[in-house]
Amino acid sequence: MTLRILLNLSPDYRALWHQPLASALADAGVSAELCDRPGGPVDYVVHAPNGPVQDFSTLPGLRAVLNIWAGVDKVLHNPTLDVPLARMVDPGLTEAMVEYVTAHVLRHHIGMDRDIANPGHDWVQRPVPLARERPVGILGLGVLGAACARALSALNFPVTGWSRSPKTLPGVASFAGEAGLHKVLSRAQMLVALLPETPATTEILNARTLAMLPRGAFVINPGRGPLIDDTALLAALDSGQIAHATLDVFRSEPLPKAHPYWAHPKVTVTPHAAADTRALTAVPVIVENIRRDQAGEPLLHRVDRDLGY
Ligand code: NAP
């Protein structure tokens, strides 16, 4: 039997994915036809939320949607989605997120901005604390949060993490629940948000929780824009409660030109570029999920609709 797989991707991604996916399926002994447009039955959709097809009901025979993004907030609530949905866990994406988070933590920790923007050419030597003296908090200890926690812990940062269910990660103090959130926030001089966007995590960083951070803390958000109450963050930046925010994700993307974040001297905007999915490392995950489904085995990284991630 030949499977029909719809590559529901933007044209630039389709160009990057088509050949590696076709080769990997052939290598795995899976007979498949890759199509770029719907029309007739389709077994699987390799899906990006910005792909052209948004109505899954037009795809008879569909068995599963295989998202190429780690976050599923843009597809989970699609009313035409009535088949299993898998999110992407891509080793390349994880590596990229570790690099992004580590880079921005080290940047703020060492205070690199002072030396990069030094218009007066001032020669001022300042003491820099060691990583061991700079507690980092990570909200979300899933695939990405745990990988960042391990990397930062290896650099000697005292890392505290928060997740829905408690975790056991070597060298990382892990907490759950409302009391746990308070513990993590109250000691985090750097806070990294790597939670999914769900009803339970929306605006988890608000006036009340931002006030729990030590004064002058740094916020790094590569998770999702709605995790933050933007008005509260801007107020906390202006009052000095938050020293700087590095933001990769926003409620509205691209971030509108008039948004106050662009011009704010204490905000760094990156264009949702912390960690992209790479065909090289993600294609094997897609192929393995197709193989598993065809063999009657459960999908890897299947999304729990009740939890929303
Ligand atoms: P994941 O493996 O599903 O991990 C999610 C983590 O969040 C888990 O530890 C989970 O707790 C925790 N969590 C979820 N809801 C919670 C709640 N209500 N209270 C406390 N903890 C909660 O996801 P991931 O692969 O690490 O990705 C995380 C997010 O990163 C994605 O959803 C996406 O939004 C974002 N992302 C951004 C980029 C980018 O380029 N900016 C790239 C990829 C991903 P449990 O462990 O107890 O389940």
Side-chain angles (χ1 to χ4, degrees):
M1 185 184 77
T2 297
L3 300 174
R4 276 193 95 229
I5 300 172
L6 174 65
L7 287 190
N8 188 32
L9 309 175
S10 60
D12 47 339
Y13 269 69
R14 223 180 290 136
L16 291 171
W17 277 69
H18 195 285
Q19 194 278 325
L21 184 57
S23 302
L25 287 163
D27 290 349
V30 178
S31 171
E33 176 200 343
L34 300 186
C35 50
D36 294 343
R37 293 271 171 271
V42 163
D43 296 283
Y44 301 98
V45 176
V46 175
H47 182 77
N50 56 357
V53 178
Q54 297 300 326
D55 183 355
F56 298 114
S57 70
T58 62
L59 308 173
L62 184 61
R63 292 188 54 77
V65 172
L66 309 173
N67 207 43
I68 72 159
W69 291 10
V72 292
D73 41 279
K74 300 277 184 296
V75 58
L76 189 62
H77 307 296
N78 183 324
T80 67
L81 178 73
D82 61 0
V83 295
L85 170 69
R87 67 194 194 87
M88 177 49 68
V89 173
D90 160 21
L93 183 154
T94 304
E95 265 178 64
M97 185 60 83
V98 168
E99 291 171 16
Y100 178 93
V101 167
T102 308
H104 283 279
V105 166
L106 283 172
R107 164 195 168 196
H108 295 310
H109 168 60
I110 292 177
M112 286 182 190
D113 290 11
R114 283 193 300 260
D115 299 323
I116 293 168
N118 183 2
H121 300 174
D122 300 322
W123 184 272
V124 182
Q125 294 174 322
R126 297 178 183 85
V128 175
L130 291 172
R132 71 181 72 228
E133 299 163 313
R134 180 87 72 181
V136 177
I138 302 186
L139 302 185
L141 283 178
V143 172
L144 300 178
C148 293
R150 277 191 288 272
L152 293 169
S153 178
L155 288 171
N156 276 350
F157 288 101
V159 180
T160 307
W162 187 70
S163 48
R164 201 175 44 80
S165 51
K167 298 278 175 290
T168 311
L169 284 172
V172 178
S174 161
F175 297 93
E178 181 63 26
L181 178 63
H182 187 272
K183 276 204 178 86
V184 172
L185 294 179
S186 63
R187 61 181 77 164
Q189 291 180 17
M190 302 256 173
L191 184 73
V192 180
L194 273 169
L195 292 161
E197 178 190 340
T198 72
T201 63
T202 299
E203 297 197 349
I204 196 142
L205 291 178
N206 51 46
R208 182 181 68 87
T209 51
L210 289 169
M212 293 176 187
L213 289 161
R215 190 167 174 79
F218 296 84
V219 170
I220 299 170
N221 182 22
R224 280 291 180 265
L227 299 179
I228 295 182
D229 172 343
D230 295 325
T231 307
L233 177 59
L234 286 163
L237 286 160
D238 290 341
S239 74
Q241 167 61 12
I242 303 300
H244 192 103
T246 293
L247 307 174
D248 187 53
V249 282
F250 306 91
R251 271 162 209 278
S252 176
E253 294 182 5
L255 184 65
K257 293 273 187 226
H259 197 286
Y261 281 151
W262 279 117
H264 201 291
K266 295 180 180 174
V267 175
T268 299
V269 171
T270 58
H272 198 148
D276 199 2
T277 302
R278 270 90 172 151
L280 179 72
T281 45
V283 157
V285 183
I286 298 284
V287 173
E288 171 60 6
N289 254 348
I290 292 172
R291 185 205 66 73
R292 291 172 75 99
D293 189 58
Q294 288 294 303
E297 298 169 23
L299 290 175
L300 295 172
H301 320 306
R302 184 169 170 178
V303 173
D304 181 325
R305 292 193 187 196
D306 293 333
L307 291 176
Y309 67 100

PDB file of all heavy atoms in Angstrom, residues 70-71 73 87 93 97 140-145 162-165 167 194-196 200-201 222-224 248-249 272-275 309, ligand 1:
ATOM      1  N   ALA A  70       7.022  22.523  17.949  1.00  0.00           N
ATOM      2  CA  ALA A  70       6.880  21.971  19.300  1.00  0.00           C
ATOM      3  C   ALA A  70       5.588  22.474  19.942  1.00  0.00           C
ATOM      4  O   ALA A  70       4.892  21.730  20.635  1.00  0.00           O
ATOM      5  CB  ALA A  70       8.078  22.364  20.159  1.00  0.00           C
ATOM      6  N   GLY A  71       5.257  23.741  19.707  1.00  0.00           N
ATOM      7  CA  GLY A  71       4.033  24.312  20.266  1.00  0.00           C
ATOM      8  C   GLY A  71       2.843  23.949  19.393  1.00  0.00           C
ATOM      9  O   GLY A  71       2.945  23.964  18.160  1.00  0.00           O
ATOM     10  N   ASP A  73      -0.384  25.281  20.048  1.00  0.00           N
ATOM     11  CA  ASP A  73      -1.498  26.189  20.339  1.00  0.00           C
ATOM     12  C   ASP A  73      -2.215  26.665  19.083  1.00  0.00           C
ATOM     13  O   ASP A  73      -3.395  26.972  19.134  1.00  0.00           O
ATOM     14  CB  ASP A  73      -0.982  27.387  21.163  1.00  0.00           C
ATOM     15  CG  ASP A  73       0.364  27.898  20.662  1.00  0.00           C
ATOM     16  OD1 ASP A  73       1.403  27.296  21.008  1.00  0.00           O
ATOM     17  OD2 ASP A  73       0.383  28.865  19.906  1.00  0.00           O
ATOM     18  N   ARG A  87       3.071  16.532  18.539  1.00  0.00           N
ATOM     19  CA  ARG A  87       3.900  17.737  18.459  1.00  0.00           C
ATOM     20  C   ARG A  87       5.317  17.319  18.079  1.00  0.00           C
ATOM     21  O   ARG A  87       5.617  16.123  18.015  1.00  0.00           O
ATOM     22  CB  ARG A  87       3.887  18.485  19.796  1.00  0.00           C
ATOM     23  CG  ARG A  87       4.565  17.725  20.889  1.00  0.00           C
ATOM     24  CD  ARG A  87       4.254  18.303  22.245  1.00  0.00           C
ATOM     25  NE  ARG A  87       5.189  17.754  23.207  1.00  0.00           N
ATOM     26  CZ  ARG A  87       6.377  18.290  23.440  1.00  0.00           C
ATOM     27  NH1 ARG A  87       6.754  19.379  22.805  1.00  0.00           N
ATOM     28  NH2 ARG A  87       7.183  17.727  24.311  1.00  0.00           N
ATOM     29  N   LEU A  93      16.128  21.228  17.285  1.00  0.00           N
ATOM     30  CA  LEU A  93      15.378  22.328  17.898  1.00  0.00           C
ATOM     31  C   LEU A  93      15.789  22.481  19.369  1.00  0.00           C
ATOM     32  O   LEU A  93      15.989  23.593  19.863  1.00  0.00           O
ATOM     33  CB  LEU A  93      13.888  22.032  17.756  1.00  0.00           C
ATOM     34  CG  LEU A  93      12.867  23.050  18.244  1.00  0.00           C
ATOM     35  CD1 LEU A  93      11.563  22.881  17.470  1.00  0.00           C
ATOM     36  CD2 LEU A  93      12.591  22.945  19.720  1.00  0.00           C
ATOM     37  N   MET A  97      17.427  25.749  21.168  1.00  0.00           N
ATOM     38  CA  MET A  97      16.828  26.445  22.315  1.00  0.00           C
ATOM     39  C   MET A  97      17.839  26.557  23.461  1.00  0.00           C
ATOM     40  O   MET A  97      17.918  27.593  24.136  1.00  0.00           O
ATOM     41  CB  MET A  97      15.563  25.714  22.781  1.00  0.00           C
ATOM     42  CG  MET A  97      14.808  26.436  23.878  1.00  0.00           C
ATOM     43  SD  MET A  97      14.257  28.085  23.396  1.00  0.00           S
ATOM     44  CE  MET A  97      12.750  27.715  22.525  1.00  0.00           C
ATOM     45  N   GLY A 140       8.545  25.531  33.294  1.00  0.00           N
ATOM     46  CA  GLY A 140       8.406  24.487  32.272  1.00  0.00           C
ATOM     47  C   GLY A 140       9.660  23.638  32.254  1.00  0.00           C
ATOM     48  O   GLY A 140      10.744  24.124  31.897  1.00  0.00           O
ATOM     49  N   LEU A 141       9.512  22.412  32.718  1.00  0.00           N
ATOM     50  CA  LEU A 141      10.666  21.486  32.715  1.00  0.00           C
ATOM     51  C   LEU A 141      10.360  20.319  31.792  1.00  0.00           C
ATOM     52  O   LEU A 141      10.566  19.159  32.141  1.00  0.00           O
ATOM     53  CB  LEU A 141      10.960  20.984  34.132  1.00  0.00           C
ATOM     54  CG  LEU A 141      11.672  21.960  35.055  1.00  0.00           C
ATOM     55  CD1 LEU A 141      11.855  21.339  36.440  1.00  0.00           C
ATOM     56  CD2 LEU A 141      13.025  22.400  34.499  1.00  0.00           C
ATOM     57  N   GLY A 142       9.833  20.659  30.598  1.00  0.00           N
ATOM     58  CA  GLY A 142       9.594  19.621  29.599  1.00  0.00           C
ATOM     59  C   GLY A 142      10.868  19.370  28.808  1.00  0.00           C
ATOM     60  O   GLY A 142      11.976  19.540  29.321  1.00  0.00           O
ATOM     61  N   VAL A 143      10.693  18.993  27.562  1.00  0.00           N
ATOM     62  CA  VAL A 143      11.854  18.675  26.730  1.00  0.00           C
ATOM     63  C   VAL A 143      12.822  19.865  26.697  1.00  0.00           C
ATOM     64  O   VAL A 143      14.029  19.720  26.914  1.00  0.00           O
ATOM     65  CB  VAL A 143      11.396  18.314  25.300  1.00  0.00           C
ATOM     66  CG1 VAL A 143      12.586  18.164  24.372  1.00  0.00           C
ATOM     67  CG2 VAL A 143      10.569  17.032  25.326  1.00  0.00           C
ATOM     68  N   LEU A 144      12.294  21.048  26.424  1.00  0.00           N
ATOM     69  CA  LEU A 144      13.170  22.216  26.237  1.00  0.00           C
ATOM     70  C   LEU A 144      13.638  22.788  27.572  1.00  0.00           C
ATOM     71  O   LEU A 144      14.830  23.078  27.737  1.00  0.00           O
ATOM     72  CB  LEU A 144      12.450  23.286  25.414  1.00  0.00           C
ATOM     73  CG  LEU A 144      12.010  22.834  24.015  1.00  0.00           C
ATOM     74  CD1 LEU A 144      11.265  23.943  23.287  1.00  0.00           C
ATOM     75  CD2 LEU A 144      13.215  22.387  23.192  1.00  0.00           C
ATOM     76  N   GLY A 145      12.714  22.939  28.515  1.00  0.00           N
ATOM     77  CA  GLY A 145      13.097  23.494  29.817  1.00  0.00           C
ATOM     78  C   GLY A 145      14.125  22.616  30.516  1.00  0.00           C
ATOM     79  O   GLY A 145      15.098  23.124  31.095  1.00  0.00           O
ATOM     80  N   TRP A 162      10.060  24.691  37.470  1.00  0.00           N
ATOM     81  CA  TRP A 162       8.646  24.533  37.839  1.00  0.00           C
ATOM     82  C   TRP A 162       7.900  23.842  36.721  1.00  0.00           C
ATOM     83  O   TRP A 162       8.083  24.158  35.540  1.00  0.00           O
ATOM     84  CB  TRP A 162       8.037  25.912  38.077  1.00  0.00           C
ATOM     85  CG  TRP A 162       6.651  25.899  38.628  1.00  0.00           C
ATOM     86  CD1 TRP A 162       6.271  25.520  39.878  1.00  0.00           C
ATOM     87  CD2 TRP A 162       5.457  26.315  37.952  1.00  0.00           C
ATOM     88  NE1 TRP A 162       4.915  25.670  40.023  1.00  0.00           N
ATOM     89  CE2 TRP A 162       4.387  26.155  38.851  1.00  0.00           C
ATOM     90  CE3 TRP A 162       5.189  26.802  36.678  1.00  0.00           C
ATOM     91  CZ2 TRP A 162       3.073  26.475  38.526  1.00  0.00           C
ATOM     92  CZ3 TRP A 162       3.878  27.119  36.349  1.00  0.00           C
ATOM     93  CH2 TRP A 162       2.833  26.948  37.269  1.00  0.00           C
ATOM     94  N   SER A 163       7.117  22.857  37.077  1.00  0.00           N
ATOM     95  CA  SER A 163       6.323  22.144  36.066  1.00  0.00           C
ATOM     96  C   SER A 163       5.014  21.693  36.712  1.00  0.00           C
ATOM     97  O   SER A 163       4.826  21.828  37.924  1.00  0.00           O
ATOM     98  CB  SER A 163       7.106  20.952  35.512  1.00  0.00           C
ATOM     99  OG  SER A 163       7.652  20.199  36.561  1.00  0.00           O
ATOM    100  N   ARG A 164       4.127  21.138  35.908  1.00  0.00           N
ATOM    101  CA  ARG A 164       2.827  20.696  36.431  1.00  0.00           C
ATOM    102  C   ARG A 164       3.030  19.523  37.373  1.00  0.00           C
ATOM    103  O   ARG A 164       2.496  19.470  38.463  1.00  0.00           O
ATOM    104  CB  ARG A 164       1.920  20.329  35.261  1.00  0.00           C
ATOM    105  CG  ARG A 164       0.446  20.343  35.558  1.00  0.00           C
ATOM    106  CD  ARG A 164      -0.325  20.073  34.284  1.00  0.00           C
ATOM    107  NE  ARG A 164       0.267  18.981  33.540  1.00  0.00           N
ATOM    108  CZ  ARG A 164       0.093  17.700  33.801  1.00  0.00           C
ATOM    109  NH1 ARG A 164      -0.694  17.325  34.783  1.00  0.00           N
ATOM    110  NH2 ARG A 164       0.689  16.767  33.072  1.00  0.00           N
ATOM    111  N   SER A 165       3.845  18.556  36.925  1.00  0.00           N
ATOM    112  CA  SER A 165       4.167  17.411  37.799  1.00  0.00           C
ATOM    113  C   SER A 165       5.624  17.554  38.226  1.00  0.00           C
ATOM    114  O   SER A 165       6.464  17.991  37.433  1.00  0.00           O
ATOM    115  CB  SER A 165       3.966  16.108  37.031  1.00  0.00           C
ATOM    116  OG  SER A 165       4.658  16.155  35.792  1.00  0.00           O
ATOM    117  N   LYS A 167       9.525  17.003  39.030  1.00  0.00           N
ATOM    118  CA  LYS A 167      10.546  16.306  38.237  1.00  0.00           C
ATOM    119  C   LYS A 167      11.747  15.963  39.116  1.00  0.00           C
ATOM    120  O   LYS A 167      11.991  16.625  40.125  1.00  0.00           O
ATOM    121  CB  LYS A 167      11.047  17.216  37.110  1.00  0.00           C
ATOM    122  CG  LYS A 167       9.991  17.614  36.115  1.00  0.00           C
ATOM    123  CD  LYS A 167       9.779  16.519  35.087  1.00  0.00           C
ATOM    124  CE  LYS A 167       8.654  16.818  34.134  1.00  0.00           C
ATOM    125  NZ  LYS A 167       7.309  16.775  34.691  1.00  0.00           N
ATOM    126  N   LEU A 194       9.480  28.643  29.568  1.00  0.00           N
ATOM    127  CA  LEU A 194       9.376  27.612  28.513  1.00  0.00           C
ATOM    128  C   LEU A 194       8.163  26.728  28.740  1.00  0.00           C
ATOM    129  O   LEU A 194       8.234  25.496  28.690  1.00  0.00           O
ATOM    130  CB  LEU A 194      10.671  26.796  28.440  1.00  0.00           C
ATOM    131  CG  LEU A 194      11.742  27.419  27.527  1.00  0.00           C
ATOM    132  CD1 LEU A 194      13.076  26.745  27.683  1.00  0.00           C
ATOM    133  CD2 LEU A 194      11.302  27.422  26.063  1.00  0.00           C
ATOM    134  N   LEU A 195       7.042  27.407  28.997  1.00  0.00           N
ATOM    135  CA  LEU A 195       5.762  26.724  29.157  1.00  0.00           C
ATOM    136  C   LEU A 195       5.014  26.751  27.826  1.00  0.00           C
ATOM    137  O   LEU A 195       5.196  27.676  27.031  1.00  0.00           O
ATOM    138  CB  LEU A 195       4.913  27.450  30.201  1.00  0.00           C
ATOM    139  CG  LEU A 195       5.399  27.396  31.643  1.00  0.00           C
ATOM    140  CD1 LEU A 195       4.741  28.507  32.462  1.00  0.00           C
ATOM    141  CD2 LEU A 195       5.099  26.032  32.255  1.00  0.00           C
ATOM    142  N   PRO A 196       4.125  25.780  27.612  1.00  0.00           N
ATOM    143  CA  PRO A 196       3.234  25.889  26.447  1.00  0.00           C
ATOM    144  C   PRO A 196       2.121  26.894  26.747  1.00  0.00           C
ATOM    145  O   PRO A 196       1.853  27.195  27.909  1.00  0.00           O
ATOM    146  CB  PRO A 196       2.655  24.475  26.331  1.00  0.00           C
ATOM    147  CG  PRO A 196       2.700  23.933  27.727  1.00  0.00           C
ATOM    148  CD  PRO A 196       3.868  24.583  28.423  1.00  0.00           C
ATOM    149  N   ALA A 200      -4.256  27.342  31.410  1.00  0.00           N
ATOM    150  CA  ALA A 200      -3.655  27.393  32.749  1.00  0.00           C
ATOM    151  C   ALA A 200      -2.375  28.223  32.794  1.00  0.00           C
ATOM    152  O   ALA A 200      -1.933  28.613  33.874  1.00  0.00           O
ATOM    153  CB  ALA A 200      -3.360  25.966  33.233  1.00  0.00           C
ATOM    154  N   THR A 201      -1.752  28.463  31.647  1.00  0.00           N
ATOM    155  CA  THR A 201      -0.478  29.204  31.666  1.00  0.00           C
ATOM    156  C   THR A 201      -0.620  30.631  31.133  1.00  0.00           C
ATOM    157  O   THR A 201       0.332  31.403  31.196  1.00  0.00           O
ATOM    158  CB  THR A 201       0.590  28.486  30.816  1.00  0.00           C
ATOM    159  OG1 THR A 201       0.144  28.452  29.450  1.00  0.00           O
ATOM    160  CG2 THR A 201       0.854  27.075  31.308  1.00  0.00           C
ATOM    161  N   PRO A 222      11.158  32.581  25.589  1.00  0.00           N
ATOM    162  CA  PRO A 222      11.045  31.954  24.276  1.00  0.00           C
ATOM    163  C   PRO A 222       9.870  30.976  24.219  1.00  0.00           C
ATOM    164  O   PRO A 222       9.752  30.205  23.259  1.00  0.00           O
ATOM    165  CB  PRO A 222      12.380  31.195  24.146  1.00  0.00           C
ATOM    166  CG  PRO A 222      12.789  30.905  25.562  1.00  0.00           C
ATOM    167  CD  PRO A 222      12.021  31.793  26.485  1.00  0.00           C
ATOM    168  N   GLY A 223       8.999  31.002  25.249  1.00  0.00           N
ATOM    169  CA  GLY A 223       7.866  30.048  25.312  1.00  0.00           C
ATOM    170  C   GLY A 223       6.754  30.474  24.376  1.00  0.00           C
ATOM    171  O   GLY A 223       6.702  30.054  23.218  1.00  0.00           O
ATOM    172  N   ARG A 224       5.849  31.317  24.843  1.00  0.00           N
ATOM    173  CA  ARG A 224       4.769  31.862  24.022  1.00  0.00           C
ATOM    174  C   ARG A 224       4.406  33.236  24.558  1.00  0.00           C
ATOM    175  O   ARG A 224       4.419  33.456  25.787  1.00  0.00           O
ATOM    176  CB  ARG A 224       3.522  30.961  24.054  1.00  0.00           C
ATOM    177  CG  ARG A 224       3.597  29.756  23.127  1.00  0.00           C
ATOM    178  CD  ARG A 224       3.554  30.161  21.653  1.00  0.00           C
ATOM    179  NE  ARG A 224       3.612  29.038  20.738  1.00  0.00           N
ATOM    180  CZ  ARG A 224       4.726  28.573  20.164  1.00  0.00           C
ATOM    181  NH1 ARG A 224       5.895  29.121  20.415  1.00  0.00           N
ATOM    182  NH2 ARG A 224       4.666  27.560  19.314  1.00  0.00           N
ATOM    183  N   ASP A 248      11.067  36.503  22.643  1.00  0.00           N
ATOM    184  CA  ASP A 248      11.135  35.901  21.299  1.00  0.00           C
ATOM    185  C   ASP A 248       9.750  35.677  20.706  1.00  0.00           C
ATOM    186  O   ASP A 248       9.622  35.472  19.501  1.00  0.00           O
ATOM    187  CB  ASP A 248      11.865  34.553  21.409  1.00  0.00           C
ATOM    188  CG  ASP A 248      12.138  33.934  20.040  1.00  0.00           C
ATOM    189  OD1 ASP A 248      12.738  34.641  19.193  1.00  0.00           O
ATOM    190  OD2 ASP A 248      11.756  32.773  19.804  1.00  0.00           O
ATOM    191  N   VAL A 249       8.737  35.684  21.566  1.00  0.00           N
ATOM    192  CA  VAL A 249       7.387  35.304  21.135  1.00  0.00           C
ATOM    193  C   VAL A 249       6.384  36.323  21.658  1.00  0.00           C
ATOM    194  O   VAL A 249       6.569  36.886  22.734  1.00  0.00           O
ATOM    195  CB  VAL A 249       7.052  33.882  21.661  1.00  0.00           C
ATOM    196  CG1 VAL A 249       7.719  32.810  20.815  1.00  0.00           C
ATOM    197  CG2 VAL A 249       7.457  33.721  23.113  1.00  0.00           C
ATOM    198  N   HIS A 272      10.764  35.437  16.945  1.00  0.00           N
ATOM    199  CA  HIS A 272      10.344  34.026  17.062  1.00  0.00           C
ATOM    200  C   HIS A 272      11.360  33.134  16.333  1.00  0.00           C
ATOM    201  O   HIS A 272      11.001  32.378  15.417  1.00  0.00           O
ATOM    202  CB  HIS A 272       8.933  33.801  16.507  1.00  0.00           C
ATOM    203  CG  HIS A 272       8.328  32.513  17.010  1.00  0.00           C
ATOM    204  ND1 HIS A 272       6.991  32.336  17.232  1.00  0.00           N
ATOM    205  CD2 HIS A 272       8.908  31.323  17.341  1.00  0.00           C
ATOM    206  CE1 HIS A 272       6.765  31.100  17.664  1.00  0.00           C
ATOM    207  NE2 HIS A 272       7.920  30.469  17.734  1.00  0.00           N
ATOM    208  N   ALA A 273      12.590  33.284  16.756  1.00  0.00           N
ATOM    209  CA  ALA A 273      13.691  32.611  16.064  1.00  0.00           C
ATOM    210  C   ALA A 273      14.580  31.850  17.037  1.00  0.00           C
ATOM    211  O   ALA A 273      15.690  31.454  16.680  1.00  0.00           O
ATOM    212  CB  ALA A 273      14.518  33.651  15.307  1.00  0.00           C
ATOM    213  N   ALA A 274      14.084  31.659  18.266  1.00  0.00           N
ATOM    214  CA  ALA A 274      14.943  31.000  19.255  1.00  0.00           C
ATOM    215  C   ALA A 274      15.335  29.609  18.778  1.00  0.00           C
ATOM    216  O   ALA A 274      16.501  29.219  18.838  1.00  0.00           O
ATOM    217  CB  ALA A 274      14.215  30.913  20.597  1.00  0.00           C
ATOM    218  N   ALA A 275      14.364  28.851  18.289  1.00  0.00           N
ATOM    219  CA  ALA A 275      14.664  27.454  17.940  1.00  0.00           C
ATOM    220  C   ALA A 275      13.714  26.998  16.839  1.00  0.00           C
ATOM    221  O   ALA A 275      12.539  26.789  17.079  1.00  0.00           O
ATOM    222  CB  ALA A 275      14.508  26.564  19.170  1.00  0.00           C
ATOM    223  N   TYR A 309      -1.361  20.460  25.677  1.00  0.00           N
ATOM    224  CA  TYR A 309       0.014  20.414  25.193  1.00  0.00           C
ATOM    225  C   TYR A 309       0.483  18.971  25.095  1.00  0.00           C
ATOM    226  O   TYR A 309      -0.190  18.062  25.568  1.00  0.00           O
ATOM    227  CB  TYR A 309       0.951  21.218  26.085  1.00  0.00           C
ATOM    228  CG  TYR A 309       1.179  20.684  27.487  1.00  0.00           C
ATOM    229  CD1 TYR A 309       2.322  19.946  27.819  1.00  0.00           C
ATOM    230  CD2 TYR A 309       0.221  20.906  28.482  1.00  0.00           C
ATOM    231  CE1 TYR A 309       2.527  19.463  29.109  1.00  0.00           C
ATOM    232  CE2 TYR A 309       0.426  20.420  29.773  1.00  0.00           C
ATOM    233  CZ  TYR A 309       1.573  19.704  30.079  1.00  0.00           C
ATOM    234  OH  TYR A 309       1.760  19.223  31.349  1.00  0.00           O
TER     235      TYR A 309
HETATM  236  P1  NAP B   1       6.862  20.091  26.796  1.00  0.00           P
HETATM  237  O1  NAP B   1       7.922  19.041  26.697  1.00  0.00           O
HETATM  238  O2  NAP B   1       5.440  19.714  26.564  1.00  0.00           O
HETATM  239  O3  NAP B   1       7.024  20.774  28.222  1.00  0.00           O
HETATM  240  C1  NAP B   1       6.089  21.662  28.741  1.00  0.00           C
HETATM  241  C2  NAP B   1       6.423  21.881  30.204  1.00  0.00           C
HETATM  242  O4  NAP B   1       5.509  22.835  30.735  1.00  0.00           O
HETATM  243  C3  NAP B   1       6.278  20.605  31.043  1.00  0.00           C
HETATM  244  O5  NAP B   1       7.281  20.552  32.020  1.00  0.00           O
HETATM  245  C4  NAP B   1       4.899  20.803  31.693  1.00  0.00           C
HETATM  246  O6  NAP B   1       4.745  20.134  32.927  1.00  0.00           O
HETATM  247  C5  NAP B   1       4.919  22.289  31.910  1.00  0.00           C
HETATM  248  N1  NAP B   1       3.561  22.791  32.098  1.00  0.00           N
HETATM  249  C6  NAP B   1       2.524  22.764  31.228  1.00  0.00           C
HETATM  250  N2  NAP B   1       1.432  23.302  31.780  1.00  0.00           N
HETATM  251  C7  NAP B   1       1.785  23.666  33.040  1.00  0.00           C
HETATM  252  C8  NAP B   1       1.089  24.270  34.109  1.00  0.00           C
HETATM  253  N3  NAP B   1      -0.212  24.604  34.021  1.00  0.00           N
HETATM  254  N4  NAP B   1       1.772  24.477  35.255  1.00  0.00           N
HETATM  255  C9  NAP B   1       3.070  24.146  35.369  1.00  0.00           C
HETATM  256  N5  NAP B   1       3.788  23.576  34.399  1.00  0.00           N
HETATM  257  C10 NAP B   1       3.142  23.334  33.223  1.00  0.00           C
HETATM  258  O7  NAP B   1       7.169  21.280  25.781  1.00  0.00           O
HETATM  259  P2  NAP B   1       8.583  21.731  25.174  1.00  0.00           P
HETATM  260  O8  NAP B   1       8.925  20.908  23.988  1.00  0.00           O
HETATM  261  O9  NAP B   1       9.553  21.823  26.278  1.00  0.00           O
HETATM  262  O10 NAP B   1       8.197  23.184  24.626  1.00  0.00           O
HETATM  263  C11 NAP B   1       7.725  24.188  25.507  1.00  0.00           C
HETATM  264  C12 NAP B   1       7.193  25.354  24.701  1.00  0.00           C
HETATM  265  O11 NAP B   1       8.280  26.061  24.087  1.00  0.00           O
HETATM  266  C13 NAP B   1       6.310  24.984  23.504  1.00  0.00           C
HETATM  267  O12 NAP B   1       4.991  24.692  23.916  1.00  0.00           O
HETATM  268  C14 NAP B   1       6.373  26.241  22.672  1.00  0.00           C
HETATM  269  O13 NAP B   1       5.364  27.132  23.086  1.00  0.00           O
HETATM  270  C15 NAP B   1       7.743  26.835  23.014  1.00  0.00           C
HETATM  271  N6  NAP B   1       8.680  26.787  21.868  1.00  0.00           N
HETATM  272  C16 NAP B   1       9.177  27.959  21.385  1.00  0.00           C
HETATM  273  C17 NAP B   1      10.080  27.939  20.329  1.00  0.00           C
HETATM  274  C18 NAP B   1      10.684  29.223  19.824  1.00  0.00           C
HETATM  275  O14 NAP B   1      11.377  29.211  18.804  1.00  0.00           O
HETATM  276  N7  NAP B   1      10.487  30.322  20.507  1.00  0.00           N
HETATM  277  C19 NAP B   1      10.471  26.723  19.759  1.00  0.00           C
HETATM  278  C20 NAP B   1       9.931  25.556  20.271  1.00  0.00           C
HETATM  279  C21 NAP B   1       9.035  25.584  21.340  1.00  0.00           C
HETATM  280  P3  NAP B   1       4.798  18.510  33.027  1.00  0.00           P
HETATM  281  O15 NAP B   1       6.250  18.164  32.756  1.00  0.00           O
HETATM  282  O16 NAP B   1       4.379  18.228  34.385  1.00  0.00           O
HETATM  283  O17 NAP B   1       3.885  18.012  31.934  1.00  0.00           O
END
